[in-house]
Amino acid sequence: MDSVFRRRATQVALGIGAIYIVAGIAWILLSDALVLQVSNDIDWLTFTQRYKGIAYVLLSGLLVVALVRTGNLALLKAQQRLHIGEVRVQDLFQHHPKPMWAFDEETLRFIAVNHAAVAHYGYTEAEFLGMLATDIRPPEDVPQMMRLLSETLTPHHDAGIVRHRKKNGELCHVHVSLHRMRIRHRDSVLVIADDVTDEVRTRDALKRQELQFRQLHDSLQEALWIGKDDVREMLYASPAFLTICGHSARSLLQDRTLWLSLVHPEDRPIAEESLLNLVAFGSAQCEYRICRPDGSVRWVADRKRRIVDASDGSRLVGGIIEDITDVRAAAQALRDANEQLEERVQARTAALQFANDELDAFARTAAHDLKTPLNAIIGFIGLLRARYAPALGPEGDRMSALVESSARGMNHLINDLLALSQVATHQLQPVSVDLSAIAREVVAELRQSEPGRQAEVRIEDGLHAQADPGLARSLLMNLIGNAWKYSGKRACAEIEVGRVESPDGTEFFVRDNGAGFDTRQADKLFKPFQRLHEASEFSGTGVGLATCQRIVRRHGGHIRLSSQPDVGTTVFFSLSGRARTRPADEPPRDSGFARLA
């Protein structure tokens, strides 16, 4: 640049000198010719020659003054413009939003740094000016920087993304551009740095996610694929295709007709229709068979759908191919097992039904065969006591009364056993049953059987349940009958029928203030012929509560007892399946409570 300025200044100076010489020669020649034309007088010539030189000196002096003045004005204006330009450049450099600095190309020492660099890197301007350009680079990156500076750089060179170290030790990624220029008469490099740390981290995170996603795809047993929207070209296929169909993912990408050629000929229309549905509706799924190169046939589930990029509206299609051969085989085996099980269940049900019918017929026959002689005994004993009472005497009358009572007891026992057996075979017809109304009918029958009995009976209104009406009546007859019987020794018996809410749902209850019992022996009460009181104290066959338990179970409910000796008993029951079943080894919830489900 300096040589150009020197050459230009020399040319200007030579030009001015040449002009001055030409003008002087022209002045001499022209002025002499003009003087001779005026007169040849010696005095005239002497006079004109003297003042002609003075005039030339004056004119040339004025010309020199004008030239010097014009040159000085131009130089001053140029200096002013240069100063203004330097001020603007300096202001732009200092206030530029991106970090900028300049360093000596030979010594690598910083010679200028702007405010953005000071704020970004944490060094003061004085600290920067005492450092080298290599000081802000990690030690392992310095050789790369030196190789770059040793190369022949263009005036403006993009150095790409490099790492810088801040004063606090934090590493950052910056995009650097280098500009070679002379600053303060030294060959220097102007650097502009753009922090791209967030972009680099985002890019690295995306790369990691892509790698993890690809590793996940590669590890899946299902084959994943992505293709163009027209389904004519596959863009990606996961390695699982090799396991499923026996062909590598690369071969599927190279030959777009390969997959359809693998579909079993009988199932090919299914696969082709699925592709048409994908194009038409955006999603499709189906199952079909494929033929592997080794000759084996596998079942696959093909699920696919259209993928739309919301940012630019571009569309792709993607899908999953899953080998379901084992699943279908297991499902078929399960169906076969279910069919066999159903056949066995039907056979056993038929056998059980036959056995139940036989048992029912036997029970009815046995009941009839047993009740006929019992009724005869009762009838003949009655006739004997009526016709031959004087002959029997007191002892004979007592003995005949004992025979009649035993026969009637046996008759009641047969009826109870027959009712117990019929509970299991009774066809349930559940409807909404008014338990309050049934309880009142049962109490009315009991009062009619013992007109002189004093008992206070409270029955809650609105007791409704879904139950079989006949079994519900049998249940209440047994429970209220027990309460009536076991409270018979009270001067004023108290019986209550109602309901309560418990964690198991709504429970109905029958409560009395009768004899009560020890709940530790409560399990016995739900077994036929088990009694906790002597027959001499309270009559009965010991079958009533067993019948109640079967009725409750048939309705999916539960039954439990709470009792204390000489205080009374409460029987709780439900007629729904919401109550839980207590395991056989679970103890009662408290000492005065027993539960049987």
Side-chain angles (χ1 to χ4, degrees):
M1 187 65 71
D2 291 344
S3 62
V4 174
F5 287 157
R6 293 190 185 94
R7 186 167 57 255
R8 180 63 177 167
T10 301
Q11 290 174 353
V12 171
L14 291 175
I16 294 175
I19 293 173
Y20 182 78
I21 292 172
V22 171
I25 294 174
W27 170 264
I28 293 172
L29 296 176
L30 291 175
S31 63
D32 287 347
L34 182 60
V35 168
L36 289 176
Q37 287 181 359
V38 174
S39 175
N40 291 327
D41 182 62
I42 300 274
D43 294 334
W44 166 250
L45 293 173
T46 302
F47 175 80
T48 55
Q49 286 293 333
R50 181 183 299 119
Y51 289 101
K52 184 179 67 170
I54 295 172
Y56 178 76
V57 171
L58 292 174
L59 290 174
S60 61
L62 292 174
L63 181 60
V64 169
V65 170
L67 288 174
V68 172
R69 181 179 181 277
T70 302
N72 284 334
L73 287 175
L75 181 60
L76 291 174
K77 288 181 180 180
Q79 288 179 342
Q80 185 179 16
R81 287 196 298 271
L82 179 61
H83 177 70
I84 293 173
E86 289 179 349
V87 171
R88 288 178 177 174
V89 170
Q90 183 69 17
D91 183 70
L92 176 62
F93 174 80
Q94 288 294 342
H95 296 91
H96 197 280
K98 294 182 180 179
M100 298 175 62
W101 60 84
F103 63 88
D104 190 299
E105 190 172 354
E106 180 179 357
T107 65
L108 302 181
R109 187 169 296 279
F110 286 100
I111 58 177
V113 62
N114 72 348
H115 299 325
V118 171
H120 187 268
Y121 287 88
Y123 296 102
T124 65
E125 183 176 0
E127 289 174 331
F128 260 117
L129 297 180
M131 296 165 54
L132 302 180
T134 55
D135 293 340
I136 63 172
R137 297 292 296 272
E140 59 270 21
D141 294 353
V142 172
Q144 177 186 0
M145 175 183 175
M146 300 308 297
R147 284 195 300 271
L148 178 64
L149 294 176
S150 64
E151 298 174 357
T152 302
L153 301 178
T154 59
H156 305 286
H157 181 76
D158 186 350
I161 297 176
V162 299
R163 296 189 303 167
H164 283 172
R165 187 184 299 278
K166 298 181 181 180
K167 184 177 181 179
N168 60 7
E170 177 186 351
L171 286 177
C172 60
H173 292 81
V174 293
H175 187 274
V176 171
S177 58
L178 307 177
H179 307 270
R180 279 188 162 171
M181 59 181 61
R182 285 191 64 81
I183 300 176
R184 300 173 186 173
H185 309 293
R186 290 182 287 183
D187 291 333
S188 305
V189 178
L190 177 67
V191 180
I192 301 177
D194 185 12
D195 192 317
V196 292
T197 303
D198 292 339
E199 291 84 344
V200 170
R201 290 175 179 172
T202 301
R203 181 193 63 193
D204 292 343
L206 289 175
K207 286 183 178 179
R208 288 194 299 271
Q209 289 180 357
E210 181 180 359
L211 178 60
Q212 293 169 354
F213 188 63
R214 185 171 294 275
Q215 290 175 344
L216 175 62
H217 275 202
D218 294 347
S219 65
L220 290 177
Q221 295 181 351
E222 296 84 358
L224 287 81
W225 62 272
I226 297 176
K228 291 187 177 180
D229 187 44
D230 57 4
V231 205
R232 295 182 179 274
E233 182 179 354
M234 190 178 293
L235 303 177
Y236 168 76
S238 68
F241 274 101
L242 180 61
T243 304
I244 293 177
C245 67
H247 289 272
S248 67
R250 180 183 295 275
S251 61
L252 289 169
L253 294 175
Q254 293 174 348
D255 185 358
R256 65 185 184 183
T257 63
L258 177 59
W259 179 255
L260 277 180
S261 68
L262 298 176
V263 180
H264 194 284
E266 296 178 1
D267 296 346
R268 197 163 294 163
I270 299 175
E272 292 174 346
E273 183 182 2
S274 177
L275 290 176
L276 295 177
N277 290 337
L278 173 63
V279 175
F281 305 110
S283 63
Q285 59 181 5
C286 60
E287 296 179 359
Y288 49 81
R289 293 167 292 175
I290 61 171
C291 301
R292 291 167 50 91
D294 59 6
S296 62
V297 178
R298 309 291 293 179
W299 276 94
V300 297
D302 183 357
R303 303 186 298 274
K304 45 191 173 288
R305 64 177 302 145
R306 181 177 291 116
I307 306 170
V308 181
D309 190 337
S311 61
D312 57 5
S314 60
R315 301 195 298 182
L316 298 172
V317 291
I320 299 176
I321 304 292
E322 182 181 1
D323 189 332
I324 59 171
T325 305
D326 295 339
V327 175
R328 289 181 66 92
Q332 184 61 44
L334 180 61
R335 285 193 294 269
D336 295 342
N338 286 337
E339 291 177 0
Q340 296 175 2
L341 179 61
E342 185 175 354
E343 292 175 357
R344 292 196 325 221
V345 168
Q346 290 177 352
R348 293 187 178 183
T349 300
L352 180 61
Q353 183 64 40
F354 177 78
N356 285 336
D357 292 342
E358 290 292 319
L359 288 174
D360 186 57
F362 171 78
R364 293 180 182 277
T365 301
H368 179 268
D369 292 345
L370 290 173
K371 289 176 68 175
T372 299
L374 286 176
N375 289 331
I377 292 173
I378 293 172
F380 283 118
I381 288 296
L383 289 175
L384 181 63
R385 294 179 65 190
R387 294 181 180 179
Y388 303 102
L392 291 175
E395 182 63 19
D397 185 65
R398 184 186 68 80
M399 295 179 65
S400 61
L402 182 60
V403 172
E404 182 180 5
S405 175
S406 298
R408 292 185 183 278
M410 178 61 80
N411 197 15
H412 290 157
L413 178 60
I414 293 172
N415 289 334
D416 290 343
L417 286 175
L418 186 61
L420 179 63
S421 66
Q422 290 175 344
V423 169
T425 59
H426 181 80
Q427 184 66 35
L428 289 181
Q429 295 179 348
V431 296
S432 179
V433 177
D434 187 348
L435 299 181
S436 300
I438 295 175
R440 292 189 180 93
E441 294 175 1
V442 171
V443 171
E445 294 175 2
L446 292 172
R447 288 188 186 278
Q448 186 176 4
S449 65
E450 295 185 57
R453 175 79 178 273
Q454 296 294 321
E456 179 184 352
V457 181
R458 296 185 296 276
I459 300 175
E460 183 178 341
D461 293 328
L463 301 180
H464 293 275
Q466 287 292 120
D468 182 273
L471 294 182
R473 181 176 182 84
S474 177
L475 174 65
L476 290 178
M477 284 182 65
N478 277 286
L479 295 180
I480 298 176
N482 282 346
W484 182 272
K485 176 173 60 177
Y486 289 111
S487 61
K489 295 184 179 182
R490 300 290 186 183
C492 182
E494 295 180 3
I495 300 175
E496 182 180 2
V497 180
R499 64 182 164 192
V500 294
E501 295 296 330
S502 71
D504 295 326
T506 301
E507 291 183 319
F508 303 100
F509 67 86
V510 177
R511 179 180 293 121
D512 65 70
N513 64 340
F517 59 90
D518 187 352
T519 55
R520 288 177 296 182
Q521 301 178 356
D523 290 347
K524 296 181 179 180
L525 293 178
F526 291 95
K527 298 177 182 179
F529 313 119
Q530 297 295 322
R531 298 170 52 87
L532 298 182
H533 300 281
E534 296 293 336
S536 59
E537 293 183 85
F538 300 99
S539 62
T541 61
V543 181
L545 283 179
T547 303
C548 293
Q549 186 187 51
R550 290 195 181 185
I551 293 174
V552 168
R553 283 182 173 177
R554 286 294 309 276
H555 288 82
H558 69 275
I559 186 168
R560 61 188 177 93
L561 301 175
S562 178
S563 181
Q564 291 184 12
D566 202 36
V567 174
T569 301
T570 303
V571 182
F572 297 91
F573 67 92
S574 70
L575 295 173
S576 67
R578 292 195 300 171
R580 71 176 182 89
T581 300
R582 180 178 67 86
D585 58 348
E586 180 180 332
R589 284 191 262 187
D590 56 65
S591 60
F593 174 81
R595 174 190 181 91
L596 295 96

